[in-house]
């Protein structure tokens, strides 16, 4: 068995049934993704539009492709026909463009709202107040072909586990408040995309439903 297949099996074995694995294959060749595919894995994530679109064309059609990186509005059109979940919605204008492209392809695109939980200001995302303003706006309520499934967050790059944990807790609290304010009747608002190679054990303890793991599966980049 390849080491990629072994890594996938080991991680899946650790995950509770409530948590799904998104294998982050950025910067890795399709041959390596295919090893994970042969091991039965079907959910992959990329952070660049061009790379995502190129790989999708070269790999089997039953892969569920997630976009996890910063997304520019002018590039939404390249992934709109097929993307399963966009983790990185960080503005109303981006969501409006996703909706427009979804209409063209006659589909509904599932999205997560990226929340800024880290202390670095380089990481994209909303704060809670901006999400509330968006969800309450008329412009948002007109969007028929995007579905908000939950939140995504990236913790600060630090060795300090207590800081990481408190950032994940913060996301969980925002999630609960938004759920009770806006999604109480909507069971589809259920996803918390938190946890990467270095912090997914913590993220699982703090309520993750989607872990985004790259280097732990495919090796360093
Ligand atoms: C690269 C990346 C990951 C995975 O990072 P690893 O540390 O390799 O597991 C997760 N989420 C996002 C948004 C990424 O860009």
């Amino acid at each position: 068995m390849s080491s990629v297949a072994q890594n996938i099996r080991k991680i899946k074995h650790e995950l509770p049934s409530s948590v799904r694995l998104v294998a982050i294959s950025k910067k890795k060749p399709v041959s390596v993704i295919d090893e994970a595919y042969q091991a039965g894995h079907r959910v992959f994530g990329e952070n660049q539009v061009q790379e995502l679109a190129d790989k999708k064309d070269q790999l089997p059609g039953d892969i569920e492709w997630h976009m996890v990186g910063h997304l520019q509005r002018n590039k939404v059109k390249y992934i709109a026909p097929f993307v399963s979940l966009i983790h990185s919605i960080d503005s109303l204008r981006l969501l409006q463009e996703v909706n427009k492209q979804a209409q063209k392809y006659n589909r509904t695109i599932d999205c997560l709202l990226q929340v800024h939980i880290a202390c670095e200001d380089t990481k994209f995302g909303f704060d809670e107040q901006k999400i509330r303003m968006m969800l309450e706006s008329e412009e948002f309520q007109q969007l028929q072909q995007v579905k908000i499934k939950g939140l995504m967050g990236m913790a600060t790059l630090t060795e300090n586990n207590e800081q990481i944990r408190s950032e994940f807790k913060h996301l969980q609290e925002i999630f609960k408040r938004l759920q009770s304010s806006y999604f109480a009747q909507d069971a589809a608002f259920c996803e918390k995309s938190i946890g990467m190679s270095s912090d997914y054990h913590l993220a699982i303890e703090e309520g993750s439903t989607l872990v985004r793991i790259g280097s732990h599966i495919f090796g360093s980049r």
Side-chain angles (χ1 to χ4, degrees):
M1 203 192 299
S2 75
S3 66
V4 165
Q6 280 172 7
N7 294 342
I8 292 252
R9 274 181 208 189
K10 183 170 166 291
I11 293 167
K12 282 193 175 164
H13 193 70
E14 297 170 341
L15 299 182
S17 60
S18 55
V19 183
R20 287 198 300 152
L21 171 63
V22 185
I24 305 297
S25 46
K26 65 188 184 199
K27 298 200 175 79
K28 297 293 172 181
V30 290
S31 59
V32 175
I33 302 173
D34 197 51
E35 287 177 25
Y37 182 88
Q38 296 306 330
H41 195 66
R42 294 292 180 270
V43 186
F44 295 88
E46 291 280 338
N47 72 336
Q48 303 265 350
V49 165
Q50 193 59 54
E51 197 174 335
L52 175 53
D54 288 348
K55 286 175 174 172
K56 181 244 175 346
D57 283 345
Q58 297 174 61
L59 284 155
D62 63 341
I63 288 179
E64 192 182 300
W65 289 104
H66 292 200
M67 175 65 191
V68 302
H70 181 60
L71 178 57
Q72 289 173 290
R73 277 178 293 139
N74 63 354
K75 295 192 174 163
V76 173
K77 55 179 177 280
Y78 302 114
I79 58 171
F82 67 87
V83 70
S84 289
L85 182 64
I86 299 174
H87 291 233
S88 46
I89 298 295
D90 60 3
S91 72
L92 174 59
R93 289 173 79 203
L94 176 59
L95 200 58
Q96 286 171 319
E97 177 64 19
V98 173
N99 186 74
K100 183 175 144 194
Q101 296 298 329
Q103 279 173 333
K104 275 195 195 159
Y105 296 99
N106 200 18
R107 60 190 299 253
T108 297
I109 299 181
D110 289 343
C111 294
L112 305 179
L113 304 178
Q114 184 169 352
V115 185
H116 185 271
I117 52 172
C119 64
E120 300 124 346
D121 40 277
T122 51
K123 283 175 185 161
F124 297 98
F126 289 100
D127 62 27
E128 182 179 357
Q129 196 50 38
K130 293 233 167 69
I131 293 180
R132 287 180 176 275
M133 280 170 56
M134 179 177 82
L135 295 177
E136 289 170 18
S137 71
E138 210 168 295
E139 291 93 330
F140 173 78
Q141 282 155 25
Q142 285 167 358
L143 304 179
Q144 299 289 321
Q145 286 179 242
V146 288
K147 180 78 194 158
I148 306 297
K149 305 269 304 203
L151 304 180
M152 182 271 238
M154 286 173 89
T156 302
L157 196 61
T158 171
E159 309 272 277
N160 182 344
N161 282 349
E162 283 321 302
Q163 180 175 352
I164 294 170
R165 190 186 290 283
S166 86
E167 291 172 0
F168 288 155
K169 280 190 195 299
H170 185 205
L171 183 134
Q172 169 79 309
E173 286 160 11
I174 294 171
F175 177 89
K176 284 189 181 148
R177 288 194 291 262
L178 294 173
Q179 188 177 42
S180 74
S181 299
Y182 305 107
F183 299 97
Q185 312 298 327
D186 182 359
F189 185 81
C190 63
E191 303 287 7
K192 283 155 276 176
S193 171
I194 48 173
M196 318 200 328
S197 292
S198 57
D199 56 21
Y200 72 93
H201 292 105
L202 280 171
I204 292 166
E205 289 172 12
E206 300 305 332
S208 177
T209 63
L210 289 165
V211 288
R212 310 179 309 270
I213 301 182
S215 49
H216 236 65
I217 297 171
F218 298 112
S220 59
R221 292 178 293 268

